Amino acid sequence: MAVVLLDGFSRLVYSLEPMRSDQFAREVEVKTVSPSKRRFVAVAQELLEAIERADFRFGDRLPPDRVLSTEAGVSRATIREALLALELLGVVEIRHGSGVYVVAPSARPVDEGPLSRSTAALFEARSAVEPKVAELCAQRMSPAAIKELAKSITRARAAVKKAGAYTLFATLQLEFHTGLAAGCGSPVLADITHRLVSVDENPLWALINQHALRTPAQRLGQIAEHAKILNAIKMGNHEAAAAAMHSHVTDLGCTLLGTPRLP
């Protein structure tokens, strides 16, 4: 299996090993693929949330793909893609001739393959680009735009405290980064940032993030880091804004990769 970022982070090409007796491989051209062709991401998110709610406990076998297909209203091929994505994250194990089982946390492998390398490359780019975006925002962002991002942070905090669905939290988190990109005053940097943080550009991104930030405490920690960045921008402290963003992005990358944070 492989996950590779190409063409200035505008493509995500992945192939997956066969599941049971089925053989299929898929290459996604992210710029042109329609949302319906990434339906597997939404399905995988729902399954991951069900596992986190303990609807399916560790060691449980998931329903057959034909059952999941009927319940989700998608094709069996989409279900298979979703399950393969979850296996790639170490959340489930696909056993030939037996079914798909939820993997206990202690048994989840640390991915050291292409997915890990692609994620590392993505965050290397983000740590280079987004601190500059934050720096420019401290110099150029309008008070009205800053106020809107503050509201977004408040909504994200409320969503986590009310145990809302991950998808709402993720949408608001993405809104923060894209909002900064829009307010930095640099169309080129804004476009690059959109590509780096976009789920459309990186179909597996939402799943990796969801899997890594499983607890309310982790999610509130991410929101607190956003608040720190925005406060530096509001104060016009471009150096502090850049430093806070660099820390935020690099720490998130370490969390997703399961590697120690840098001192």
Side-chain angles (χ1 to χ4, degrees):
M1 57 181 66
V3 179
V4 185
L5 294 169
L6 300 171
D7 297 341
F9 311 101
S10 66
R11 287 168 55 93
L12 175 65
V13 178
Y14 67 92
S15 62
L16 297 164
E17 293 294 339
M19 175 183 177
R20 303 173 190 163
S21 61
D22 300 299
Q23 300 220 355
F24 63 96
R26 202 174 291 255
E27 174 174 300
V28 176
E29 170 64 61
V30 183
K31 276 188 173 181
T32 59
V33 72
S34 66
S36 63
K37 290 191 177 181
R38 279 187 303 281
R39 207 167 289 164
F40 80 93
V41 174
V43 172
Q45 284 182 303
E46 291 178 5
L47 287 171
L48 191 50
E49 286 191 4
I51 291 170
E52 290 169 355
R53 290 194 307 266
D55 293 352
F56 300 110
R57 299 182 181 275
F58 305 124
D60 284 353
R61 184 175 66 178
L62 296 183
D65 54 17
R66 65 179 180 277
V67 174
L68 293 174
S69 172
T70 300
E71 292 179 349
V74 299
S75 69
R76 292 175 69 177
T78 297
I79 294 296
R80 293 181 185 125
E81 285 184 288
L83 294 173
L84 286 165
L86 292 179
E87 185 180 46
L88 190 63
L89 295 181
V91 175
V92 301
E93 178 184 359
I94 299 172
R95 301 176 189 172
H96 180 75
S98 178
V100 182
Y101 294 81
V102 179
V103 180
S106 60
R108 290 177 180 177
V110 177
D111 177 73
E112 296 179 350
L115 178 58
S116 178
R117 292 193 295 271
S118 296
T119 302
L122 177 64
F123 275 88
E124 181 179 51
R126 288 187 62 179
S127 67
V129 173
E130 291 197 81
K132 185 63 179 180
V133 168
E135 177 184 339
L136 292 176
C137 283
Q139 299 168 330
R140 304 173 178 176
M141 198 168 198
S142 70
I146 292 174
K147 186 176 181 179
E148 286 303 310
L149 285 186
K151 291 179 180 178
S152 179
I153 288 174
T154 298
R155 290 196 299 271
R157 189 178 291 114
V160 173
K161 290 182 177 179
K162 291 180 180 178
Y166 169 81
T167 49
L168 175 57
F169 164 78
T171 297
L172 292 169
Q173 292 296 89
L174 178 61
E175 184 178 278
F176 178 81
H177 287 272
T178 56
L180 291 183
C184 76
S186 170
V188 174
L189 285 177
D191 182 63
I192 293 172
T193 301
H194 277 283
R195 291 173 180 270
L196 290 175
V197 304
S198 172
V199 175
D200 288 342
E201 298 281 350
N202 306 283
L204 292 179
W205 160 245
L207 294 176
I208 300 169
N209 203 54
Q210 180 178 353
H211 181 49
L213 303 177
R214 293 189 289 274
T215 69
Q218 287 175 308
R219 295 174 185 179
L220 288 173
Q222 292 294 302
I223 295 169
E225 291 179 11
H226 281 189
K228 183 177 180 180
I229 294 166
L230 189 63
N231 184 61
I233 291 171
K234 183 178 180 180
M235 299 298 294
N237 190 333
H238 61 91
E239 292 181 351
M245 178 62 83
H246 187 271
S247 177
H248 169 62
V249 172
T250 54
D251 282 359
L252 179 59
C254 288
T255 298
L256 267 58
L257 291 167
T259 56
R261 285 173 169 78
L262 298 175

